[in-house]
Amino acid sequence: MAKRKMILDLDTGIDDSLAIAYALGAPDVDLIGIIGSYGNVLVEPGGQNSLKILELLGHTDIPVYLGESHSSTSDHFDRMQVSADIHGENGIGQVELPDPKRSIEKESGVDFLIDAVHKYGKDLTLVPTGPMTNLAAALKKAPEIATEIGNVTFMGGALTVPGNVTAYAEANINQDAEAANAVLTSPLHSTMVGLDVTLRTLLTKKETQQWRDLGTVAGEKFADIVDYYIQAYVDVNDNLGGCALHDPLAVGVALDPSFVTTIDLNMVVNYNKETYGRTIGDDNRLNDPTNVKVSVAVDKDRYLKTFMEYLTALFKKN
């Protein structure tokens, strides 16, 4: 059992599933729970997808909790069509997996996070790969966790490249810019793994074929899931040559920060109409002590090598 503990906050689509696999495959951390969010899918189907992936990978011991079902400024969530196009209607590339034997936990994901921070403190790492709604709610309910938690590494934002849902906004931040701004302007220290680095970290069908060649159920299913994702990327942007490893890169950086080069920056998130969801340096805090490390370059070859080692070893067993 590892000293270091991890919680994933996911809107479980395809790259979120890869993030789960990376966390399970990493030898130096224990995944102690998953919090469900909205984005790629609605919160309830996303939670079910997390349970299905955990069961596929032989980890029915890990609980899944549901977080907030919509943004902090709305009363409902409407899934964008582009999310269905990229992740499939079911969120996992239209691949059918058995209904999970384990049920969603009754405790709220926000309360689970707060309790875990109080229990594990600096040994706890949180990786949000969807909107910041759950984390912002936890900080509002229990502000002390901002300085108690050991590591927060989130997938979201775009500093040096355009957004992927508007010219300014990356999808996760765009789902709840107000919550993201509350997090980034709080005392919490975090690392941003945004489009600046995730779009350089690509997986191709060469790698998914290696999983097929294992001859295991997990290898075949993950190859099917990710091949759907790769094809979706071809349809949307065939210049990349593969699918971006958005969410699993955030898990990788949380465990090994040397995968990326960062700059220290105090950040704000715009939530006016024209630039909603833009992540940018805060000109009111330029000379203050900084609380965000922004990833701007990535050692993509070393990361991909580690990614394939972890996931291939995991898929061999299942």
Side-chain angles (χ1 to χ4, degrees):
M1 184 172 288
K3 181 181 180 184
R4 194 170 186 182
K5 311 300 179 185
M6 179 175 284
I7 294 172
L8 299 177
D9 184 344
L10 311 173
D11 53 332
T12 301
I14 294 173
D15 55 332
D16 309 78
S17 300
L18 292 170
I20 294 172
Y22 193 105
L24 294 175
D28 52 348
V29 71
D30 290 336
L31 180 61
I32 63 167
I34 293 173
I35 303 170
S37 189
Y38 61 91
N40 295 325
V41 290
L42 302 180
V43 65
E44 292 87 356
Q48 290 296 319
N49 283 347
S50 293
L51 286 172
K52 290 177 180 179
I53 293 296
L54 288 169
E55 190 163 304
L56 174 65
L57 297 176
H59 282 272
T60 56
D61 55 316
I62 297 172
V64 175
Y65 304 79
L66 295 187
E68 302 298 309
S69 61
H70 54 78
S71 79
S72 58
T73 59
S74 65
D75 60 5
H76 72 288
F77 167 68
D78 294 319
R79 186 189 191 198
M80 292 188 295
Q81 183 57 47
V82 66
S83 299
D85 293 341
I86 290 174
H87 295 272
E89 287 294 337
N90 71 351
I92 47 175
Q94 297 304 96
V95 173
E96 294 298 326
L97 295 177
D99 290 336
K101 297 181 179 69
R102 184 163 185 157
S103 299
I104 299 288
E105 304 302 307
K106 290 185 168 47
E107 182 185 6
S108 82
V110 171
D111 288 340
F112 166 66
L113 173 58
I114 294 169
D115 292 343
V117 175
H118 289 158
K119 181 176 181 179
Y120 295 107
K122 296 301 181 185
D123 291 330
L124 181 65
T125 293
L126 172 69
V127 184
T129 69
M132 295 278 206
T133 313
N134 294 327
L135 179 53
L139 288 168
K140 184 176 181 180
K141 188 171 184 178
E144 71 278 2
I145 69 172
T147 55
E148 291 178 3
I149 194 167
N151 180 329
V152 175
T153 301
F154 67 93
M155 192 279 126
L159 182 66
T160 64
V161 297
N164 59 357
V165 291
T166 72
Y168 298 102
E170 179 275 329
N172 291 334
I173 304 298
N174 188 68
Q175 298 286 6
D176 195 345
E178 289 85 348
N181 187 64
V183 170
L184 295 183
T185 57
S186 78
L188 179 77
H189 285 254
S190 62
T191 299
M192 173 174 141
V193 178
L195 300 180
D196 314 85
V197 288
T198 64
L199 289 176
R200 306 181 197 183
T201 313
L202 303 173
L203 200 71
T204 71
K205 290 188 177 180
K206 175 185 175 183
E207 285 80 31
T208 60
Q209 185 60 48
Q210 293 176 35
W211 297 341
R212 288 190 193 284
D213 292 343
L214 296 173
T216 64
V217 174
E220 180 182 350
K221 292 296 186 182
F222 263 86
D224 289 343
I225 290 168
V226 178
D227 280 352
Y228 182 100
Y229 198 47
I230 291 170
Q231 185 57 50
Y233 265 79
V234 171
D235 296 339
V236 173
N237 183 356
D238 61 2
N239 293 322
L240 286 176
C243 66
L245 295 175
H246 299 294
D247 297 349
L249 179 59
V251 178
V253 172
L255 296 174
D256 183 355
S258 70
F259 281 133
V260 292
T261 302
T262 62
I263 59 172
D264 294 339
L265 191 65
N266 287 317
M267 301 193 75
V268 293
V269 181
N270 296 159
Y271 47 90
N272 56 50
K273 184 176 180 181
E274 291 78 16
T275 58
Y276 189 88
R278 184 185 189 189
T279 48
I280 194 166
D282 184 355
D283 58 358
N284 292 316
R285 296 186 293 148
L286 285 178
N287 294 310
D288 293 352
T290 55
N291 70 326
V292 182
K293 293 184 178 297
V294 183
S295 304
V296 292
V298 58
D299 187 346
K300 58 186 180 181
D301 293 336
R302 184 167 66 88
Y303 171 76
L304 184 60
K305 181 174 183 290
T306 304
F307 172 91
M308 287 300 294
E309 286 175 355
Y310 286 0
L311 271 68
T312 302
L314 183 66
F315 298 162
K316 276 182 182 177
K317 303 174 186 176
N318 296 280

